[in-house]
Amino acid sequence: MSVKNLGIIGYGHLGQFLVHELSKVPEFEVVKKWNRTPRPEDHVLPLEEINEKNLEDIDLVIEVADPSVIKKYSDLILRHCDLFVGSPTALADKDTFNSLKNLSKQFNRSVYVPAGAFWGGNDIQKMAELGLLKGLTVTMTKHPSSFKLESPLKELNEEAKTRTEATVLFEGTVRELCPLAPNNVNTMAGAAIAAHSLGFDEVKARLVSDPEMLEWHVVEVEVEGPDGFRVSTKRMNPARPGAVTGQLTYFSFLASIKESRFKPKGFHIC
Ligand SMILES: NC(=O)c1ccc[n+]([C@@H]2O[C@H](COP(=O)([O-])OP(=O)(O)OC[C@H]3O[C@@H](n4cnc5c(N)ncnc54)[C@H](O)[C@@H]3O)[C@@H](O)[C@H]2O)c1
């Protein structure tokens, strides 16, 4: 299999981790990096230089910056190459989601969404394909300092910091939650992509802020199928207070990029 040329947008925690880890994988070569703050000493270009010329020799762009980057640049990227959406909360915006779906078909490109901290995505996707998925609820519980939220959840989380017991910050649909917690609930956006028969409007989201959660990020998934079929999982990921992403999720992300090589063209969770 030939070497895939990669471009990475975002040179923060995840971007730097991926550049380092992917340099050890012979099947991939990172040929371009972009970031909001350019770093000439590390060959990191500014976002304004995501242009036709710089995308020419790239097979796959990996976005690990911010959902706004997907909204702004996915159109241009998909005209040239495949796209790995590291900030899938962007896809809760109907126009962005539809545009990605249409462009990937029009230009025969692949769009990959990482499973991240979402456990059992393949099984849930199969159930959705077979029309067997009746319900899906994802609950994420973190320490209050691990959230980066918009109003009114931001204020609710400030109150939660003063309590000792856990506070439910949000209960509703993934569609409603994504813009309120754009950097915290990528896992739920991944769930809505996998459970495509339910989608962003029917996958249920619960966000819990728990001052006792000093060492873990917890993701609970409850799946409902026909005739009382149920599956419940609880993923406990070691994470320091203040960490937005648990450690194992970084490696899950890397594994998703490696796996993308074996997927057929189309829209995939991997
Ligand atoms: N899918 C998943 O499971 C998963 C896991 C972790 C992180 N993420 C997402 O990946 C992205 C990067 O995460 P990270 O932990 O590396 O974050 P980070 O803050 O460490 O790095 C983000 C980088 O992107 C740049 N950036 C930030 N906001 C930007 C904006 N509005 N426009 C352009 N550039 C911007 C910053 O300059 C920074 O270099 C975030 O959107 C995060 O939500 C997804």
Side-chain angles (χ1 to χ4, degrees):
M1 208 174 258
S2 59
V3 174
K4 269 200 171 183
N5 283 348
L6 305 180
I8 296 196
I9 309 178
Y11 202 57
H13 292 96
L14 198 47
Q16 290 180 42
F17 165 83
L18 291 175
V19 167
H20 180 256
E21 290 297 322
L22 287 165
S23 70
K24 300 181 216 161
V25 184
E27 292 84 3
F28 293 114
E29 189 178 351
V30 178
V31 295
K32 292 265 171 15
K33 294 172 285 207
W34 296 271
N35 197 34
R36 184 166 55 178
T37 317
R39 289 168 59 159
E41 69 283 12
D42 287 331
H43 306 285
V44 179
L45 302 167
L47 295 179
E48 299 73 49
E49 290 192 34
I50 305 175
N51 54 33
E52 295 206 351
K53 185 172 171 296
N54 280 327
L55 288 167
E56 244 168 30
D57 58 345
I58 293 183
D59 301 304
L60 173 67
V61 164
I62 299 166
E63 174 281 320
V64 278
D66 187 80
S68 60
V69 169
I70 290 297
K71 288 184 187 164
K72 187 160 179 196
Y73 293 102
S74 56
D75 192 298
L76 175 64
I77 294 166
L78 283 172
R79 287 170 195 275
H80 289 86
C81 59
D82 295 338
L83 174 62
F84 195 94
V85 183
S87 307
T89 53
L91 305 181
D93 177 72
K94 280 183 186 163
D95 290 341
T96 306
F97 188 43
N98 289 337
S99 156
L100 253 75
K101 274 190 128 170
N102 293 338
L103 285 165
S104 67
K105 267 198 202 127
Q106 188 183 344
F107 294 99
N108 194 28
R109 307 283 182 218
S110 286
V111 176
Y112 307 105
V113 174
F118 185 54
W119 196 258
N122 283 342
D123 300 289
I124 290 165
Q125 194 165 17
K126 276 186 218 158
M127 285 182 72
E129 264 146 37
L130 295 168
L132 297 174
L133 190 61
K134 303 295 173 207
L136 178 63
T137 305
V138 184
T139 303
M140 294 179 78
T141 305
K142 298 186 188 190
H143 189 266
S145 62
S146 292
F147 287 114
K148 274 165 76 179
L149 303 165
E150 303 294 329
S151 285
L153 299 196
K154 192 176 172 177
E155 291 75 14
L156 283 175
N157 191 44
E158 286 307 312
E159 279 172 37
K161 284 181 186 169
T162 65
R163 300 201 189 104
T164 47
E165 73 278 16
T167 303
V168 178
L169 298 178
F170 179 88
E171 243 177 327
T173 68
V174 175
R175 172 98 61 210
E176 293 166 306
L177 179 56
C178 283
L180 300 174
N183 297 112
N184 283 119
V185 299
N186 287 300
T187 295
M188 295 193 188
I193 300 290
H196 54 84
S197 56
L198 302 174
F200 282 88
D201 288 320
E202 286 179 62
V203 175
K204 294 192 193 108
R206 287 180 81 240
L207 199 62
V208 181
S209 180
D210 184 353
E212 300 273 286
M213 203 52 73
L214 289 166
E215 291 172 20
W216 308 98
H217 285 175
V218 183
V219 179
E220 289 164 272
V221 176
E222 287 168 60
V223 186
E224 291 163 56
D227 305 323
F229 175 93
R230 299 182 82 83
V231 178
S232 305
T233 62
K234 183 170 182 174
R235 180 186 190 267
M236 307 270 302
N237 191 5
R240 289 165 285 110
V244 174
T245 307
Q247 288 140 33
L248 278 171
T249 303
Y250 280 79
F251 285 96
S252 161
F253 211 99
L254 178 66
S256 298
I257 295 170
K258 291 182 185 170
E259 196 186 316
S260 71
R261 291 169 58 234
F262 306 104
K263 296 274 183 190
K265 288 284 169 196
F267 214 99
H268 299 284
I269 177 137
C270 62

